[in-house]
Amino acid sequence: MATEILVPVLGESITEATVGEWLKQPGDAVAADEPVVSLETDKVSVEVGAPVAGILGAHAAKVGDTVNVGALIGTIEAGDGAAAAPAAAPAAAAPAAAAAPAAAPAEPAQDVEAAALSPSVRRAILEHGVDPATVTGSGKDGRITKEDVVAAASAKTETPAAAPAATASAPAAAPATGGRKEERVRMTRLRQTVARRLKEAQNTAALLTTFNDVDMTAVIEARTKYKDLFEKKHGVRLGFMGFFVKAATMALKDIPAVNAQIDGEEIVYHDYADISVAVSAPQGLVVPVIRDADKMSVAQVERTIGDFGKRAKDGTLKMEEMKGGTFTISNGGVFGSLMSTPIINPPQSAVLGLHRIEDRPVVRDGQIVIRPMMYLALSYDHRLIDGREAVTFLVALKNAIEDPTRLLIDL
């Protein structure tokens, strides 16, 4: 009797998901708890494991389908998959051998759909004209990555020796020139949610952005001096985010409105600082929350952020780690951004944008000197936060970063 694969409980208030990728195909042998399908929710991707060991049956839902919690998406048949493949092989061996030459030039697009690859990989295959059957996957469970496709395309262009053999049997068709291609890729559920929430923020909040700049000299010197000892003691690299998170939590205590939110006709003030930190994931930016960041040391903050970043790439962040948050920090500087106007993450009332560090001429003690400077941007809901409070918050943050001793004595 077949065992059903059902959509699991995905989290509080989440009732449906989208089938993002089938990790196993019908007929594949699977072990108990081995991931067989990836589901996309409003916040993260969730891998669903096989409830028992056996052979994967037919898919009951296709990639892109919306499925409800508890819905049937597949089955597991009894068996270990070892005898299934050889049994069918002898009968099909002779016809397969005869048909092999004709089947070789199959269009890559057909293989892309059959393999249920991720959108970025499908796009790379179409752009480079690579047959996915010839690509060896280096990803999890042998899955093909974008880098695998690019490497295969490079190897293909570097081996022109095969060209004469092809022309000897038949003249090759002239490559099309000047052609333009388009591709339509369905928006992931995460991207749809991000788009909807950001537009809601623009429609609801009275958004305003205030700027300042900060001299990073002191923090860079401290990081350079102590980074090796810090990593040896705490097992994590000393970055800049630890300083900014601690400085932000101090400034939030001084300006509580920046850490508050509007709920109907009431203002909710928080006596804690749960800092949402934007990190990069394969599906886009996700925003896990550092709980009680105001009670953490710089080392604890750096360790937490490092863990979030690793698990965001692996797709193993949990739903509860993405909920809540009283204030957000987004570091566009890692991508080279000079300046931006970030959008708040409702129901929060403010977001701090960090940018790239670059040497600029500034005046110190009447002299023009070169200093590593960074622009800071605070976007906020003007319904709750006045300009004076926004400026005061940025100045407090600036003072703490330019004189990190303030972080030690809470000044």
Side-chain angles (χ1 to χ4, degrees):
M1 181 177 179
T3 301
E4 296 180 337
I5 304 175
L6 305 177
V7 178
V9 176
L10 300 169
E12 184 182 354
S13 76
I14 297 179
T15 60
E16 63 180 23
T18 300
V19 178
E21 179 182 3
W22 277 100
L23 309 178
K24 295 290 184 179
Q25 301 304 314
D28 288 351
V30 296
D33 298 324
E34 182 179 4
V36 294
V37 63
S38 174
L39 302 178
E40 296 177 354
T41 70
D42 291 346
K43 295 181 180 291
V44 293
S45 292
V46 178
E47 290 186 345
V48 180
V52 295
I55 301 173
L56 184 65
H59 298 162
K62 303 188 301 294
V63 173
D65 285 355
T66 298
V67 290
N68 294 322
V69 171
L72 174 69
I73 53 177
T75 57
I76 301 292
E77 308 289 345
D80 58 8
E107 293 183 3
Q110 296 173 349
D111 293 332
V112 172
E113 292 297 327
L117 303 173
S118 66
S120 62
V121 174
R122 290 200 298 269
R123 186 180 301 110
I125 286 175
L126 293 171
E127 289 176 354
H128 295 282
V130 174
D131 183 352
T134 65
V135 180
T136 302
S138 63
K140 184 179 180 181
D141 296 329
R143 276 181 272 170
I144 298 174
T145 67
K146 182 178 178 181
E147 290 72 20
D148 295 332
V149 176
V150 174
S154 300
K156 182 179 177 182
T157 58
E158 292 172 1
T159 55
T167 55
S169 58
T177 58
R180 300 189 299 172
K181 297 181 180 180
E182 292 183 352
E183 180 187 7
R184 291 182 180 268
V185 178
R186 181 184 178 89
M187 290 177 68
T188 64
R189 177 176 289 271
L190 174 61
R191 177 52 57 186
Q192 293 178 45
T193 302
V194 169
R196 183 180 69 253
R197 286 176 60 82
L198 292 180
K199 189 57 184 173
E200 287 175 355
Q202 286 186 318
N203 293 340
T204 302
L207 291 178
L208 184 63
T209 303
T210 294
F211 299 94
N212 210 322
D213 61 2
V214 58
D215 187 340
M216 297 291 291
T217 300
V219 166
I220 290 175
E221 289 177 351
R223 182 172 181 266
T224 301
K225 183 176 181 180
Y226 297 112
K227 64 179 182 180
D228 293 336
L229 291 174
F230 185 90
E231 185 170 4
K232 182 178 180 180
K233 179 176 180 178
H234 299 290
V236 65
R237 295 179 60 187
L238 177 60
F240 297 120
M241 283 296 290
F243 291 98
F244 277 102
V245 169
K246 291 302 297 178
T249 59
M250 289 175 53
L252 291 174
K253 290 181 179 178
D254 294 338
I255 315 296
V258 181
N259 198 41
Q261 66 185 55
I262 295 176
D263 184 10
E265 296 182 353
E266 296 179 334
I267 299 175
V268 181
Y269 292 96
H270 306 100
D271 66 351
Y272 54 88
D274 287 350
I275 306 298
S276 303
V277 181
V279 296
S280 182
Q283 296 83 11
L285 287 179
V286 293
V287 191
V289 180
I290 305 174
R291 310 288 178 187
D292 294 316
D294 52 316
K295 300 177 182 178
M296 288 185 174
S297 65
V298 171
Q300 290 173 316
V301 170
E302 291 288 1
R303 192 179 297 115
T304 302
I305 294 174
D307 177 61
F308 282 157
K310 180 180 182 300
R311 291 194 291 120
K313 292 180 181 179
D314 295 339
T316 57
L317 283 174
K318 299 177 181 178
M319 290 289 183
E320 53 268 24
E321 293 174 318
M322 317 278 276
K323 295 179 180 178
T326 60
F327 181 77
T328 294
I329 299 178
S330 178
N331 185 7
V334 297
F335 303 109
S337 172
L338 175 64
M339 187 179 293
S340 67
T341 55
I343 300 177
I344 64 175
N345 181 23
Q348 298 175 21
S349 298
V351 53
L352 175 67
L354 309 181
H355 302 90
R356 74 170 185 251
I357 302 170
E358 64 176 8
D359 289 340
R360 291 201 296 269
V362 295
V363 178
R364 296 287 185 268
D365 300 324
Q367 301 293 320
I368 298 177
V369 295
I370 303 298
R371 290 287 187 269
M373 304 296 293
M374 175 195 288
Y375 286 117
L376 305 176
L378 182 73
S379 291
Y380 54 97
D381 189 345
H382 209 349
R383 297 177 302 167
L384 173 60
I385 303 169
D386 295 331
R388 176 184 60 83
E389 294 171 314
V391 172
T392 304
F393 174 89
L394 280 180
V395 169
L397 185 76
K398 172 186 172 74
N399 290 338
I401 294 298
E402 292 186 342
D403 183 7
T405 304
R406 290 171 176 263
L407 300 177
L408 299 177
I409 59 178
D410 193 16
L411 183 59

